[in-house]
Amino acid sequence: MILDTNGMKPIYIQIAEWMESEIMNGGLNVDEKVYSQYKLAEMYNINPATAAKGLTKLAEEGILYDKRGIGKFVAEGAKQMIIEKRKNQTLKQLIDDVVTEAGYLQLSEDEVIELIRNSWKGRAE
């Protein structure tokens, strides 16, 4: 992963999202130890406190859990939690943006649905 240090998204959020993607794609499994804040800081040349903030965010959401003195681990059900979070936050925001833009363009609901279907078919091919 390459961090976007000039972008609008805070680095700790990018770290958390990368960790979520690793869980989603099977790179990290339930009860597996994740990288420490110091390892993440070394890997991405960032402040350990920034890395810790990303890990803490995931722990507060229940995606990771702590083993005192050992580190953070992937929680049971983490993958499902990430799916629900992304569906209810990320995907919903994207859909809201599409609906808003469709309104500006005066597209009907049927036209928008057809565009989505065509895009979905293109993805499957």
Side-chain angles (χ1 to χ4, degrees):
M1 176 183 87
I2 298 173
L3 295 175
D4 180 6
T5 56
N6 298 319
M8 297 290 291
K9 190 177 287 188
I11 292 172
Y12 80 95
I13 297 288
Q14 293 178 58
I15 293 290
E17 288 177 349
W18 171 75
M19 193 82 56
E20 287 178 349
S21 293
E22 286 295 300
I23 293 167
M24 292 297 295
N25 70 26
L28 291 169
N29 298 302
V30 172
D31 295 325
E32 187 173 339
K33 186 175 189 228
V34 301
Y35 294 114
S36 72
Q37 68 188 61
Y38 301 106
K39 183 64 177 174
L40 289 168
E42 179 185 314
M43 288 168 56
Y44 295 110
N45 197 28
I46 59 173
N47 187 308
T50 301
K53 194 171 179 181
L55 293 171
T56 298
K57 178 184 184 318
L58 294 176
E60 288 172 350
E61 293 174 359
I63 293 168
L64 300 180
Y65 67 92
D66 286 305
K67 282 190 181 178
R68 190 175 179 101
I70 299 175
K72 292 196 182 340
F73 294 76
V74 178
E76 182 75 38
K79 194 171 188 174
Q80 191 58 40
M81 284 184 253
I82 295 166
I83 289 169
E84 288 301 312
K85 181 175 98 168
R86 289 186 176 185
K87 181 176 77 174
N88 293 325
Q89 291 175 5
T90 307
L91 201 54
K92 184 179 180 325
Q93 183 59 53
L94 289 170
I95 291 169
D96 288 347
D97 291 347
V98 167
V99 169
T100 299
E101 185 64 22
Y104 294 147
L105 298 173
Q106 299 179 351
L107 297 177
S108 70
E109 181 179 339
D110 289 339
E111 289 173 303
V112 173
I113 290 170
E114 186 60 30
L115 287 169
I116 292 169
R117 281 192 181 120
N118 289 338
S119 192
W120 193 269
K121 286 177 191 172
R123 181 180 139 293
E125 293 174 357

